[in-house]
PDB file of all heavy atoms in Angstrom:
ATOM      1  N   GLN A  39      84.899 199.570 118.655  1.00 73.00           N
ATOM      2  CA  GLN A  39      85.814 200.617 118.416  1.00 73.00           C
ATOM      3  C   GLN A  39      86.795 200.609 119.586  1.00 73.00           C
ATOM      4  O   GLN A  39      86.409 200.423 120.812  1.00 73.00           O
ATOM      5  CB  GLN A  39      85.068 201.924 118.304  1.00 73.00           C
ATOM      6  CG  GLN A  39      86.094 203.140 118.261  1.00 73.00           C
ATOM      7  CD  GLN A  39      85.251 204.443 118.062  1.00 73.00           C
ATOM      8  OE1 GLN A  39      84.064 204.372 117.825  1.00 73.00           O
ATOM      9  NE2 GLN A  39      85.885 205.529 118.279  1.00 73.00           N
ATOM     10  N   ILE A  40      88.003 200.904 119.371  1.00 68.00           N
ATOM     11  CA  ILE A  40      89.008 200.961 120.361  1.00 68.00           C
ATOM     12  C   ILE A  40      89.137 202.417 120.836  1.00 68.00           C
ATOM     13  O   ILE A  40      89.163 203.349 120.018  1.00 68.00           O
ATOM     14  CB  ILE A  40      90.440 200.505 119.840  1.00 68.00           C
ATOM     15  CG1 ILE A  40      90.369 199.085 119.297  1.00 68.00           C
ATOM     16  CG2 ILE A  40      91.504 200.661 120.851  1.00 68.00           C
ATOM     17  CD1 ILE A  40      90.089 198.059 120.379  1.00 68.00           C
ATOM     18  N   TYR A  41      89.138 202.653 122.177  1.00 62.00           N
ATOM     19  CA  TYR A  41      89.263 204.077 122.734  1.00 62.00           C
ATOM     20  C   TYR A  41      90.593 204.229 123.342  1.00 62.00           C
ATOM     21  O   TYR A  41      91.376 203.311 123.448  1.00 62.00           O
ATOM     22  CB  TYR A  41      88.187 204.136 123.827  1.00 62.00           C
ATOM     23  CG  TYR A  41      86.750 204.061 123.350  1.00 62.00           C
ATOM     24  CD1 TYR A  41      86.005 202.924 123.521  1.00 62.00           C
ATOM     25  CD2 TYR A  41      86.161 205.153 122.826  1.00 62.00           C
ATOM     26  CE1 TYR A  41      84.726 202.815 123.073  1.00 62.00           C
ATOM     27  CE2 TYR A  41      84.851 205.106 122.348  1.00 62.00           C
ATOM     28  CZ  TYR A  41      84.121 203.880 122.493  1.00 62.00           C
ATOM     29  OH  TYR A  41      82.845 203.883 122.075  1.00 62.00           O
ATOM     30  N   LEU A  42      90.945 205.506 123.576  1.00 57.00           N
ATOM     31  CA  LEU A  42      92.179 205.840 124.111  1.00 57.00           C
ATOM     32  C   LEU A  42      92.208 205.377 125.575  1.00 57.00           C
ATOM     33  O   LEU A  42      93.274 204.873 126.109  1.00 57.00           O
ATOM     34  CB  LEU A  42      92.355 207.359 124.071  1.00 57.00           C
ATOM     35  CG  LEU A  42      92.547 207.920 122.655  1.00 57.00           C
ATOM     36  CD1 LEU A  42      92.680 209.402 122.678  1.00 57.00           C
ATOM     37  CD2 LEU A  42      93.740 207.353 122.005  1.00 57.00           C
ATOM     38  N   PHE A  43      91.152 205.581 126.346  1.00 61.00           N
ATOM     39  CA  PHE A  43      91.177 205.119 127.763  1.00 61.00           C
ATOM     40  C   PHE A  43      89.823 204.675 128.208  1.00 61.00           C
ATOM     41  O   PHE A  43      88.884 205.453 128.112  1.00 61.00           O
ATOM     42  CB  PHE A  43      91.724 206.324 128.675  1.00 61.00           C
ATOM     43  CG  PHE A  43      91.735 205.978 130.124  1.00 61.00           C
ATOM     44  CD1 PHE A  43      92.708 205.155 130.626  1.00 61.00           C
ATOM     45  CD2 PHE A  43      90.701 206.448 130.891  1.00 61.00           C
ATOM     46  CE1 PHE A  43      92.659 204.926 131.990  1.00 61.00           C
ATOM     47  CE2 PHE A  43      90.700 206.190 132.272  1.00 61.00           C
ATOM     48  CZ  PHE A  43      91.706 205.437 132.830  1.00 61.00           C
ATOM     49  N   PRO A  44      89.607 203.552 128.623  1.00 62.00           N
ATOM     50  CA  PRO A  44      90.455 202.343 128.482  1.00 62.00           C
ATOM     51  C   PRO A  44      90.451 201.805 127.031  1.00 62.00           C
ATOM     52  O   PRO A  44      89.708 202.359 126.230  1.00 62.00           O
ATOM     53  CB  PRO A  44      89.722 201.326 129.372  1.00 62.00           C
ATOM     54  CG  PRO A  44      88.357 201.767 129.388  1.00 62.00           C
ATOM     55  CD  PRO A  44      88.298 203.223 129.229  1.00 62.00           C
ATOM     56  N   PRO A  45      91.310 200.864 126.732  1.00 68.00           N
ATOM     57  CA  PRO A  45      91.502 200.461 125.303  1.00 68.00           C
ATOM     58  C   PRO A  45      90.311 199.965 124.672  1.00 68.00           C
ATOM     59  O   PRO A  45      90.131 200.198 123.435  1.00 68.00           O
ATOM     60  CB  PRO A  45      92.580 199.387 125.459  1.00 68.00           C
ATOM     61  CG  PRO A  45      93.197 199.511 126.712  1.00 68.00           C
ATOM     62  CD  PRO A  45      92.248 200.201 127.629  1.00 68.00           C
ATOM     63  N   ALA A  46      89.367 199.345 125.317  1.00 74.00           N
ATOM     64  CA  ALA A  46      88.109 198.800 124.619  1.00 74.00           C
ATOM     65  C   ALA A  46      86.912 198.917 125.610  1.00 74.00           C
ATOM     66  O   ALA A  46      87.128 198.790 126.802  1.00 74.00           O
ATOM     67  CB  ALA A  46      88.347 197.335 124.258  1.00 74.00           C
ATOM     68  N   PRO A  47      85.683 199.130 125.068  1.00 74.00           N
ATOM     69  CA  PRO A  47      84.563 199.156 125.910  1.00 74.00           C
ATOM     70  C   PRO A  47      84.377 197.917 126.814  1.00 74.00           C
ATOM     71  O   PRO A  47      83.785 198.012 127.863  1.00 74.00           O
ATOM     72  CB  PRO A  47      83.383 199.292 124.971  1.00 74.00           C
ATOM     73  CG  PRO A  47      83.934 199.677 123.715  1.00 74.00           C
ATOM     74  CD  PRO A  47      85.337 199.266 123.734  1.00 74.00           C
ATOM     75  N   GLN A  48      84.845 196.755 126.330  1.00 81.00           N
ATOM     76  CA  GLN A  48      84.661 195.497 127.043  1.00 81.00           C
ATOM     77  C   GLN A  48      85.466 195.592 128.366  1.00 81.00           C
ATOM     78  O   GLN A  48      85.178 194.818 129.266  1.00 81.00           O
ATOM     79  CB  GLN A  48      85.118 194.343 126.189  1.00 81.00           C
ATOM     80  CG  GLN A  48      84.176 194.050 125.034  1.00 81.00           C
ATOM     81  CD  GLN A  48      84.422 195.010 123.835  1.00 81.00           C
ATOM     82  OE1 GLN A  48      85.377 195.736 123.818  1.00 81.00           O
ATOM     83  NE2 GLN A  48      83.557 194.853 122.792  1.00 81.00           N
ATOM     84  N   ASP A  49      86.422 196.459 128.435  1.00 80.00           N
ATOM     85  CA  ASP A  49      87.229 196.558 129.703  1.00 80.00           C
ATOM     86  C   ASP A  49      86.480 197.336 130.802  1.00 80.00           C
ATOM     87  O   ASP A  49      86.780 197.233 131.897  1.00 80.00           O
ATOM     88  CB  ASP A  49      88.526 197.313 129.420  1.00 80.00           C
ATOM     89  CG  ASP A  49      89.477 196.515 128.639  1.00 80.00           C
ATOM     90  OD1 ASP A  49      89.297 195.301 128.371  1.00 80.00           O
ATOM     91  OD2 ASP A  49      90.435 197.130 127.993  1.00 80.00           O
ATOM     92  N   TRP A  50      85.447 197.968 130.369  1.00 81.00           N
ATOM     93  CA  TRP A  50      84.556 198.822 131.395  1.00 81.00           C
ATOM     94  C   TRP A  50      83.598 197.913 132.071  1.00 81.00           C
ATOM     95  O   TRP A  50      83.234 198.193 133.206  1.00 81.00           O
ATOM     96  CB  TRP A  50      83.916 199.936 130.657  1.00 81.00           C
ATOM     97  CG  TRP A  50      84.734 201.027 130.137  1.00 81.00           C
ATOM     98  CD1 TRP A  50      86.004 201.209 130.231  1.00 81.00           C
ATOM     99  CD2 TRP A  50      84.237 202.078 129.316  1.00 81.00           C
ATOM    100  NE1 TRP A  50      86.443 202.338 129.659  1.00 81.00           N
ATOM    101  CE2 TRP A  50      85.339 202.890 128.965  1.00 81.00           C
ATOM    102  CE3 TRP A  50      82.980 202.451 128.774  1.00 81.00           C
ATOM    103  CZ2 TRP A  50      85.198 204.064 128.217  1.00 81.00           C
ATOM    104  CZ3 TRP A  50      82.892 203.547 128.050  1.00 81.00           C
ATOM    105  CH2 TRP A  50      83.991 204.325 127.733  1.00 81.00           C
TER     106      TRP A  50
END
Side-chain angles (χ1 to χ4, degrees):
Q39 177 178 346
I40 301 297
Y41 294 100
L42 295 175
F43 179 76
Q48 294 79 7
D49 292 344
W50 292 353

